[in-house]
Amino acid sequence: MIPNTAIGLLILVVAIVPGLVYTLTFEREAGDFGATFADRTMRFIAVSIAFHLLAGWLEYWIYRETLGEKGPISSGDFALLWLAAITMVVVPAAIGMLLGTLYSNRRRLTGWRRTLLELALGQDVAPRAWDDLFAGGPDTYLRVRTTEGVMLAGLFASRSYAAGFPQEPDLLLEEAYEIDPETGELGQGLGYPIYIAAGKIAWMEVVRPQSGMGG
C-alpha cells in the first residue's frame, strides 16, 4: 500500500504543478483581481490539463523509459526524470510570466501581441471601472474629492499604485499638486506623494495637463 500511495501522491503533484506554477507567475505580473479561490482552482486545473495534453506523448515516453519497468532507477533515468520535472515547472512559469506581462500592458499592445493575448485569455472584462482605468498603468493627473469634501490632486504614474479587485480601492499618487479651491485647476507640484485611503474617495476625475502646472 505504501508504494501505491506514494505513486498516487506523485501523480497528483505532477498533474497539478504546471497549472499552479502558471497561475502564480501570471498573477505575479498581471495582478489577481477577480481571482477567487474557485477561480484560481479552475484556472490551474485547466492549464494543467492543457499542458498534459500537449506533452502527453513525451510524458508517456519518459515514464516508459524510467518507471515503466521494475528495478532500480539508473543515473540516466534519474537525469531524464529531473529534466522532465524542470520542464514541468519552467515552461508553465515562462508562459505565465509572458502572458501576465502582456496582460498588465494590454492597453499599449497592438498587432500580433494583442492577438496572442486575446486568443490566450479571451475577452478582457475588468470587474470594476476602477480596475479598467488603472490596469494599463496610465500616466495621468487626477482630481479627487474625499468623503469629507476635501479636494486633492496628484500625478498617477509608474511609482503610483491603485489597489485592484477584490481589495477596497485605495490610491497612492506619486506627487501631490496644488489645486485651486474655486476653479479646481491644478497648479505646481508639491514634491511629495499623497495617499488616499480605501473608502475615502467620493468622486474622481482625470485631468489633462494645464498651462500653469509644473513639477
Side-chain angles (χ1 to χ4, degrees):
M1 292 299 293
I2 295 178
N4 290 336
T5 302
I7 291 174
L9 179 61
L10 177 61
I11 292 173
L12 177 62
V13 171
V14 168
I16 66 173
V17 159
L20 180 60
V21 171
Y22 166 86
T23 301
L24 294 175
T25 52
F26 177 85
E27 291 184 358
R28 180 178 180 273
E29 300 296 324
D32 62 351
F33 68 69
T36 63
F37 178 76
D39 295 326
R40 289 188 177 96
T41 302
M42 292 301 296
R43 182 184 297 169
F44 75 67
I45 290 175
V47 171
S48 292
I49 291 172
F51 178 86
H52 290 302
L53 285 174
L54 292 174
W57 283 107
L58 176 61
E59 292 175 338
Y60 177 69
W61 175 76
I62 292 174
Y63 168 77
R64 286 291 301 272
E65 290 294 317
T66 57
L67 302 176
E69 297 180 359
K70 294 182 179 180
I73 297 177
S74 67
S75 58
D77 291 342
F78 179 80
L80 196 57
L81 288 170
W82 178 81
L83 181 61
I86 292 295
T87 302
M88 205 173 304
V89 172
V90 172
V91 172
I95 295 173
M97 189 172 298
L98 171 62
L99 292 179
T101 301
L102 290 176
Y103 184 82
S104 64
N105 295 283
R106 64 192 181 281
R107 296 290 184 266
R108 305 186 182 100
L109 295 181
T110 57
W112 69 269
R113 291 180 178 85
R114 188 168 187 86
T115 301
L116 172 63
L117 189 67
E118 291 174 352
L119 288 174
L121 302 181
Q123 187 179 10
D124 172 27
V125 180
R128 300 177 299 200
W130 173 277
D131 300 288
D132 187 70
L133 172 63
F134 292 111
D139 293 347
T140 187
Y141 296 92
L142 298 174
R143 183 162 47 219
V144 179
R145 184 173 67 208
T146 69
T147 53
E148 287 83 11
V150 178
M151 293 296 295
L152 303 170
L155 170 64
F156 185 95
S158 60
R159 292 181 289 111
S160 303
Y161 181 77
F165 185 87
Q167 288 78 28
E168 288 297 316
D170 63 350
L171 190 61
L172 174 65
L173 302 177
E174 62 186 63
E175 184 171 12
Y177 273 73
E178 294 178 344
I179 183 168
D180 189 310
E182 300 296 328
T183 65
E185 292 188 355
L186 276 62
Q188 298 292 314
L190 299 176
Y192 55 81
I194 182 171
Y195 172 74
I196 307 173
K200 295 297 183 180
I201 300 175
W203 173 87
M204 185 174 70
E205 181 182 9
V206 176
V207 181
R208 294 182 180 274
Q210 300 158 12
S211 58
M213 296 172 62

